[in-house]
């Protein structure tokens, strides 16, 4: 595969605003003349189910779906959803995952019936992912989003973190402009703040384990 | 992305969902009438048209069903205006009665029908292959692979439709509709909307007997002309020449085939078909003559494979054809790059660069114990409350639940697993009619408001007329929730927010002669169990209306009004862990705290329907304040 290609497998739970992320990245690509395509999920699975978006950047890419072991990175807005799609990660690829876990209701029901069970924790998810890559970073996106001024900006926090990767091909200026164009007018400032705080968080975690932009 | 780019004037580049690109193409083609009923994966076409309506002068309806939508477009196109409808292929089943006739009568203005299949049945009852509609109705069919192509094809489809006087089908699949990509925006040039004169001879658009036979001969001629045109159309193209290996493909299959070839490092010749009815037979024959092996990559039925095989018989009988019949591909489920890589590798004796089986095995090992996360009712969903109450009201009562299509269909998924049959839009009532003849148990039918207007009305007429003994529960949540909360005949507005006449459910039902109507608010939880019980005990047909707005829709309205969305919390001092809030209620905002095993509510997820508070015997769930 050409080295200028970048595929990121984005996952989360219906309602977390994954589509905004692919729109922000895609519009930024369009504005600077980079090819990008996505495979998205709309419809039934949006109802609190597991959802994913395949985001692919590169001139020669035609398939909207990332092949198995083809993702340079997994960006998970919810920790369990990072593990759910681990087969898409390239060996040694990067995982940027939210610290937050939304317990699936069927897990909770199992939990109610059997007192001995515990929920799968972020640490557990991280440990398991570490078996296939040494590049797992956990971001406390909810806390950071609240700090930015709106808990709903978790998705942009995560994007900010991802954007620090050296391999991430979209220039920051284009990305920020795209954020401003894709969120409601009165939410522009808080989202840009969320983006910057996400970046900052990555410099403290992610960038200790992978090559980041200066 | 989104609406801003759809209205932005070109030339420019934009990143668009394919469904938005389709809208943009139609707008550039100066479409004048739009009519559709929502259905995944086409819904964003309707949503986008509705969202940008105020910028243009096209007329638009969110119709009560696909058949009405198609007929609305047909009427406009008969007069001479360009029109477009979009529907999923199961919606096309509903519309098909008129669709077949329309192929006979033809149209004057350009008319395009976007029809989407849903391989993998992501959001559909079946994996229907809608490509059958093209050949069986003699309607030309185009298939794009990506947003840029879809936009271009829509424009060409309008021209083609006008040139040949026939509606044009644009067939897509989920992975095409729900793919975003870079699209070239052209300049928007639109003529002002004006009404046209009816310029046709009497009976011009009627078809029966003698006229039908005349039309049939004409449409056979038309199809011949179209095939000739498609043989040299640039919608069909060959990529890469000189290889002994050829690929014949279209739509989503093309995307995977190109990527699979890249992964395997091979350079086959690819015949990418953009017109899949009528097929460009001469072009296919020429292609087959130049290769020794041909691999057909298409999802669902072996439609291309069948024709390639037939054409090869004369064109190149010795060519080896690889496809579904050779066992390399399946007729089930959607494809992806890996499926195509495996098939190519097997057919051509190649090794894959990655040991995919090993990757999958490792992934399975890592995922041991990871809970599934199937879609479920949103926090605050009124259906959750209705179903909980229904389950309480029917405790110990043997019954059959004939349900229908909508968010409430999720009742038969984990964890409720409740519901006995579901066939198609509006089918709950006809099915209930049959059940009440045949079964000993009480029969309950269940339908949402949108589906009720869509196709259940004739079922209700039938049930009332025949005095069928079942209880119908109508879940009235104000909108077509499942597809993203579009207005329906029960709303006082329609596409683009234009005012519309609200149909009142009770008036319709009373008008048909039923007076046994019980209206409940599902948020009242325990208080509605008894009224449901009583209604179910009475002889049918009778009706329960469970009325409460879809939670997502209500939240959106609250945000618009600047109202806060409140949340509940568990008072841990009071909670004695009866788990009444979880048991058979299953709100995803509630989980169990691993430390003390008491219930806990997520502030971010809770919608404060307050039903869980009403279920808790200790009153431990309270409004979250001051956080
Ligand atoms: S969209 Fe509305 S009706 Fe559908 S599950 Fe969510 S709250 Fe319920
Ligand atoms: S009030 Fe209770 S049932 Fe309703 S959304 Fe909140 S946690 Fe769920």
């Amino acid at each position: 595969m050409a080295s200028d290609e970048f595929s990121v497998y984005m996952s989360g739970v219906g309602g977390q605003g994954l589509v905004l992320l692919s729109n922000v990245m895609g519009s930024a690509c369009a504005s600077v003349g980079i090819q990008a395509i996505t495979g998205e999920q709309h419809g039934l699975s949006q109802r609190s189910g597991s959802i994913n978006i395949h985001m692919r950047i590169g001139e020669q890419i035609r398939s909207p779906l990332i092949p198995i072991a083809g993702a340079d990175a997994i960006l998970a807005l919810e920790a369990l959803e990072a593990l759910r799609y681990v087969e898409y990660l390239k060996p040694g690829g990067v995982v940027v995952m939210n610290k937050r876990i939304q317990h699936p209701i069927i897990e909770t029901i199992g939990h109610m019936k059997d007192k001995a069970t515990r929920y799968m924790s972020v640490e557990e998810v991280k440990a398991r992912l570490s078996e296939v890559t040494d590049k797992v970073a956990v971001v406390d996106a909810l806390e950071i989003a609240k700090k930015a001024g709106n808990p709903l900006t978790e998705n942009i926090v995560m994007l900010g973190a991802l954007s620090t990767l050296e391999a991430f091909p979209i220039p920051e200026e284009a990305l920020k402009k795209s954020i401003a164009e894709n969120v409601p007018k009165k939410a522009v400032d808080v989202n840009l703040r969320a983006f910057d705080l996400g970046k900052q968080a990555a410099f403290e975690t992610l960038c200790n384990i992978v090559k980041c932009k200066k | 992305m989104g609406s801003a780019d759809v209205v932005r004037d070109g030339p420019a580049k934009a990143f668009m969902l394919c469904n938005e690109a389709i809208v943009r193409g139609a707008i550039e083609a100066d479409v004048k009438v739009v009519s559709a009923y929502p259905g995944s994966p086409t819904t964003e076409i309707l949503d986008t048209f509705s969202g940008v309506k105020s910028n243009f002068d096209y007329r638009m309806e969110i119709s009560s069903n696909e058949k009405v939508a198609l007929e609305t477009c047909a009427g406009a196109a008969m007069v001479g205006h360009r029109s477009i409808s979009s529907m999923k292929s199961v919606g096309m089943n509903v519309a098909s009665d008129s669709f077949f006739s329309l192929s006979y009568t033809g149209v004057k203005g350009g008319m395009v029908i976007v029809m989407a299949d849903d391989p993998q049945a992501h959001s559909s009852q079946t994996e229907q292959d809608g490509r059958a509609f093209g050949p069986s109705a003699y309607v030309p069919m185009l298939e794009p692979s990506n947003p840029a192509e879809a936009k271009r094809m829509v424009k060409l489809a309008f021209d083609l439709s006008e040139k040949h006087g026939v509606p044009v089908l644009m067939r897509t699949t989920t992975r095409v509709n729900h793919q975003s990509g870079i699209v070239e925006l052209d300049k928007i040039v639109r003529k002002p909307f004006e009404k046209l004169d009816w310029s046709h001879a009497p009976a011009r658009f009627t078809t029966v007997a003698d006229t039908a036979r005349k039309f049939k001969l004409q449409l056979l001629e038309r199809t011949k002309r179209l095939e000739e045109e498609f043989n040299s159309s640039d919608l069909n193209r060959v990529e890469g020449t000189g290889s002994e290996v050829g690929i014949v493909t279209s739509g989503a299959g093309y995307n995977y085939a190109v990527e699979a070839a890249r992964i395997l490092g091979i350079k086959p010749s690819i015949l990418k078909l953009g017109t899949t009815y009528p097929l460009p037979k001469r072009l296919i024959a020429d292609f087959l003559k130049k290769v020794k092996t041909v691999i057909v990559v298409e999802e669902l039925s072996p439609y291309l494979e069948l024709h390639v095989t037939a054409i090869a018989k004369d064109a190149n009988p010795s060519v080896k054809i690889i496809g579904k019949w050779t066992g390399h591909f399946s007729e089930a489920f959607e494809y992806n790059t890996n499926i195509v890589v495996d098939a190519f590798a097997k057919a051509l004796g190649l090794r894959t660069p990655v040991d995919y089986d090993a990757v999958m095995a490792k992934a399975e090992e890592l995922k041991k114990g990871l809970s599934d996360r199937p879609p479920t009712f949103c926090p605050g969903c009124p259906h959750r409350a209705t179903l909980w109450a229904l389950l309480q009201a029917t405790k110990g009562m043997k019954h059959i639940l004939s349900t229908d299509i909508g968010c409430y269909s999720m009742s038969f998924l984990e964890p409720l697993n409740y519901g006995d049959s579901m066939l198609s839009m509006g089918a709950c009532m006809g099915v209930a009619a049959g059940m009440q003849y045949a079964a000993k148990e009480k029969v309950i039918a269940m339908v949402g408001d949108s589906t009720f207007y869509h196709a259940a009305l004739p079922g209700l007429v039938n049930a009332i007329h025949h005095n069928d003994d079942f209880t119908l529960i109508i879940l009235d949540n104000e909108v077509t929730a499942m597809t993203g909360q579009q207005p329906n005949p029960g709303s006082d507005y329609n596409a683009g927010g234009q005012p519309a006449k609200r149909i009142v459910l009770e008036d319709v039902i009373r008008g048909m002669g039923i007076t046994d109507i019980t209206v409940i608010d599902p948020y009242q939880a325990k208080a509605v169990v008894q009224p449901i019980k009583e209604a179910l005990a009475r002889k049918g047909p009778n009706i329960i209306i469970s009325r409460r707005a879809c939670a997502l829709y209500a939240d959106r309205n609250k945000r618009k009004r600047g109202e806060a969305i409140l949340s509940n919390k568990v008072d841990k001092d009071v909670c004695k862990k009866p788990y009444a809030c979880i048991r058979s209620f299953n709100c995803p905002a509630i989980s169990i705290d691993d430390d003390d095993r008491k219930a806990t509510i997520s502030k971010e997820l809770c919608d404060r329907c307050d039903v869980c508070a009403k279920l808790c015997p200790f009153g431990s769930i309270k409004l979250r304040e001051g956080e």
Side-chain angles (χ1 to χ4, degrees):
Chain A
M1 299 295 110
S3 61
D4 60 341
E5 290 181 1
F6 187 79
S7 290
V8 50
Y9 197 102
M10 305 196 287
S11 57
V13 180
Q16 284 196 309
L18 271 186
V19 174
L20 175 69
L21 292 190
S22 59
N23 281 338
V24 164
M25 284 193 251
S27 308
C29 287
S31 73
V32 294
I34 309 177
Q35 275 298 332
I37 64 172
T38 66
E40 304 171 16
Q41 261 181 318
H42 300 256
L44 185 63
S45 41
Q46 292 279 17
R47 305 280 170 265
S48 307
S50 164
I51 59 165
N52 59 70
I53 291 186
H54 302 236
M55 174 93 217
R56 316 199 66 195
I57 298 170
E59 277 313 310
Q60 292 179 40
I61 295 175
R62 292 291 171 275
S63 168
L65 302 180
I66 300 171
I68 303 295
D72 298 284
I74 288 179
L75 183 73
L77 298 195
E78 198 270 359
L80 298 180
E81 299 308 313
L83 185 56
R84 193 175 311 285
Y85 301 105
V86 58
E87 64 270 24
Y88 287 95
L89 191 67
K90 274 185 190 165
V94 182
V95 180
V96 186
M97 70 181 196
N98 196 347
K99 190 175 167 195
R100 177 154 157 215
I101 288 195
Q102 292 183 23
H103 303 296
I105 186 64
I106 58 178
E107 189 179 12
T108 296
I109 290 164
H111 213 44
M112 172 182 78
K113 291 181 184 151
D114 179 359
K115 285 205 175 83
T117 56
R118 290 182 78 83
Y119 288 113
M120 193 179 282
S121 66
V122 177
E123 292 71 32
E124 169 86 40
V125 171
K126 189 175 171 187
R128 292 191 186 197
L129 289 170
S130 300
E131 287 192 35
V132 287
T133 177
D134 53 356
K135 304 187 189 78
V136 185
V138 181
V139 178
D140 191 348
L142 183 60
E143 232 6 78
I144 298 172
K146 283 183 189 160
K147 219 182 280 169
N150 185 345
L152 294 177
T153 59
E154 266 183 299
N155 49 0
I156 298 291
V157 170
M158 296 301 288
L159 178 62
L162 180 77
S163 74
T164 58
L165 290 180
E166 194 181 54
F168 187 77
I170 310 172
E172 178 168 327
E173 279 322 297
L175 212 51
K176 283 187 160 176
K177 200 173 136 256
S178 179
I179 291 173
E181 285 167 1
N182 278 282
V183 303
K185 266 213 180 63
K186 49 179 202 270
V188 171
D189 287 344
V190 57
N191 274 288
L192 290 177
R193 226 169 15 246
F195 181 83
D196 284 334
L197 290 176
K199 260 177 61 185
Q200 212 176 317
F203 284 131
E204 289 154 17
T205 52
L206 181 65
C207 302
N208 297 329
I209 45 177
V210 254
K211 263 203 174 151
C212 284
K213 290 177 181 140
K214 293 279 140 14
Chain B
M1 113 345 174
S3 301
D5 283 330
V6 175
V7 303
R8 178 148 65 106
D9 205 5
K13 273 189 194 313
F15 180 76
M16 278 184 167
L17 186 66
C18 185
N19 283 340
E20 294 167 343
I22 288 170
V23 173
R24 172 66 184 217
I27 287 171
E28 286 178 11
D30 202 16
V31 71
K32 292 299 187 206
V33 175
V34 180
S35 190
Y37 181 84
S40 189
T42 62
T43 310
E44 299 79 18
I45 297 176
L46 173 156
D47 285 342
T48 305
F49 269 123
S50 178
V52 303
K53 185 173 172 297
S54 61
N55 297 272
F56 302 101
D57 59 2
Y58 53 78
R59 306 297 189 254
M60 176 173 181
E61 287 184 359
I62 298 175
S63 305
S64 49
N65 70 30
E66 293 86 355
K67 182 165 183 285
V68 177
L70 182 129
E71 289 154 355
T72 305
C73 287
M78 284 174 186
V79 176
H81 268 319
R82 288 191 160 185
S83 64
I84 190 167
S85 185
S86 61
M87 56 196 73
K88 58 194 297 176
S89 53
V90 289
M92 187 56 159
N93 296 343
V94 178
S96 61
D97 203 355
S98 293
F99 174 74
F100 279 86
S101 303
L102 193 63
S103 172
Y104 275 55
T105 65
V107 289
K108 184 179 176 206
M111 174 169 165
V112 176
I113 304 152
V114 181
M115 173 196 67
D117 281 330
D118 188 17
Q120 196 78 7
H122 290 283
S123 312
S124 309
Q125 307 94 287
T126 70
E127 282 200 313
Q128 180 176 326
D129 192 334
R131 286 179 298 178
F133 281 115
S136 56
Y138 297 92
V139 167
M141 182 163 66
L142 310 182
E143 281 191 57
S145 299
N146 58 52
E149 205 171 62
K151 176 182 162 268
R152 176 168 176 256
M153 269 188 191
V154 169
K155 294 172 79 171
L156 292 173
F158 277 110
D159 294 341
L160 207 62
S161 170
E162 259 157 32
K163 181 173 169 194
H164 296 273
V166 59
V168 173
L169 205 51
M170 192 160 100
R171 187 260 188 175
T172 53
T173 55
T174 302
R175 292 297 182 181
V176 175
N177 294 88
H178 288 163
Q179 179 187 146
S180 291
I182 313 279
V183 174
E184 302 274 349
L185 306 178
D186 297 319
K187 215 173 158 39
I188 298 179
V189 186
R190 292 180 61 88
K191 289 199 224 63
F193 188 99
E194 53 182 46
K195 293 201 172 191
L196 307 173
D197 290 319
W198 181 260
S199 57
H200 304 293
R204 163 65 185 84
F205 296 99
T206 57
T207 171
V208 68
D210 211 19
T211 48
R213 291 189 281 273
K214 195 181 78 207
F215 279 139
K216 177 70 186 270
L217 296 176
Q218 286 173 0
L219 69 81
L220 292 177
E221 286 303 314
R222 177 182 79 203
T223 305
K224 251 191 224 155
R225 286 195 303 276
L226 280 160
E227 182 179 331
E228 207 33 58
E229 196 170 324
F230 289 168
N231 270 318
S232 54
S233 161
D234 67 356
L235 294 174
N236 303 309
R237 62 169 191 266
V238 177
E239 292 177 5
T241 47
S243 173
E244 288 185 351
V245 178
I247 313 279
V248 176
T249 186
S250 69
Y254 165 79
N255 299 329
Y256 308 135
V258 171
E259 181 110 350
R262 222 160 60 103
I263 288 177
L264 291 167
I266 55 171
K267 290 201 158 49
S269 304
I270 300 180
L271 173 58
K272 180 193 184 303
L273 294 170
T275 70
T276 44
Y277 184 79
L279 282 166
K281 292 198 207 71
R282 203 176 58 231
L283 184 72
I284 296 172
D286 288 347
F287 183 80
L288 293 179
K289 281 175 196 157
K290 294 187 191 117
V291 294
K292 289 199 173 130
T293 302
V294 65
I295 308 178
V296 185
V297 184
E298 62 182 324
E299 292 169 315
L300 303 177
S301 64
Y303 168 76
L304 296 178
E305 188 174 348
L306 171 72
H307 288 280
V308 164
T309 306
I311 294 167
K313 186 174 147 285
D314 289 329
N316 182 1
S318 66
V319 69
K320 192 166 147 204
I321 301 171
I322 306 279
K324 298 174 202 273
W325 290 335
T326 53
H328 289 80
F329 287 102
S330 170
E331 292 187 38
F333 315 146
E334 75 177 3
Y335 291 178
N336 54 41
T337 303
N338 287 93
I339 287 174
V340 180
V341 165
D342 285 346
F344 283 10
K346 189 172 156 209
L348 304 172
L350 302 167
R351 279 177 65 101
T352 58
V354 176
D355 182 350
Y356 293 112
D357 292 340
V359 174
M360 290 308 295
K362 181 69 192 170
E364 288 315 315
E365 179 199 320
L366 293 180
K367 285 192 253 186
K368 251 203 200 110
L370 174 69
S371 169
D372 279 346
R373 194 192 302 270
T376 186
F377 301 110
C378 305
C381 177
H383 297 332
R384 170 180 295 107
T386 306
L387 285 160
W388 177 87
L390 183 61
L391 282 169
Q392 309 311 308
T394 53
K395 262 198 188 135
M397 172 204 273
K398 283 195 167 173
H399 67 286
I400 315 177
L401 181 64
S402 165
T403 176
D404 221 299
I405 314 261
C407 282
Y408 48 95
S409 309
M410 289 189 290
S411 73
F412 61 72
L413 301 179
E414 289 287 330
L416 270 188
N417 300 120
Y418 181 41
D420 297 296
S421 70
M422 185 195 86
L423 294 182
S424 66
M425 292 286 285
C428 73
M429 229 126 18
V431 171
M435 286 172 168
Q436 56 98 40
Y437 280 122
K440 288 182 184 146
E441 288 79 4
K442 164 81 188 176
V443 177
I444 303 172
M446 190 161 81
V447 71
D449 48 338
S450 187
T451 306
F452 177 77
Y453 294 118
H454 177 286
L457 270 172
L460 184 59
V461 169
N462 179 74
I464 296 171
H465 182 61
H466 295 103
N467 204 21
D468 290 336
D469 182 11
F470 62 83
T471 301
L472 170 68
I473 302 176
I474 305 178
L475 306 163
D476 181 7
N477 62 4
E478 288 186 34
V479 284
T480 309
M482 168 102 132
T483 48
Q485 302 93 48
Q486 292 79 8
N488 66 41
S491 317
D492 57 8
Y493 67 98
N494 198 256
Q498 61 189 326
K501 169 94 178 144
R502 175 165 181 251
I503 311 281
V504 180
L505 259 183
E506 287 92 321
D507 291 354
V508 174
I509 297 162
R510 267 195 215 101
M512 288 184 190
I514 291 198
T515 49
D516 185 351
I517 305 173
T518 308
V519 182
I520 59 165
D521 171 6
Y523 278 8
Q524 299 312 315
K526 287 178 183 163
V528 304
V529 173
Q530 192 55 29
I532 295 178
K533 230 181 183 161
E534 285 166 15
L536 293 180
R538 292 195 289 272
K539 194 190 163 312
N542 64 342
I543 311 260
I544 298 169
I545 298 176
S546 181
R547 178 166 288 144
R548 179 54 85 157
C550 153
L552 282 193
Y553 179 65
D555 283 355
R556 209 163 52 207
N557 288 337
K558 274 185 200 158
R559 279 195 208 99
K560 263 190 214 151
R561 292 195 298 263
E563 258 173 59
I565 292 160
L566 304 172
S567 68
N568 271 347
K569 66 169 187 187
V570 177
D571 183 342
K572 294 258 183 110
D573 295 337
V574 187
C575 175
K576 295 200 175 59
K577 303 183 273 191
Y579 301 135
C581 55
I582 298 173
R583 211 180 303 276
S584 64
F585 188 62
N586 316 312
C587 175
I590 308 177
S591 56
I592 296 171
D593 192 327
D594 264 335
D595 295 333
D596 54 17
R597 297 204 53 93
K598 293 187 176 178
T600 168
I601 293 176
S602 157
K603 178 174 181 247
E604 282 70 36
L605 296 178
C606 174
D607 191 57
R608 199 163 189 266
C609 63
D610 214 29
V611 176
C612 59
K614 295 186 178 111
L615 301 187
C616 178
F618 302 104
S620 63
I621 300 180
K622 298 169 183 157
L623 174 65
R624 189 187 302 262
E625 281 171 304
E627 280 180 38

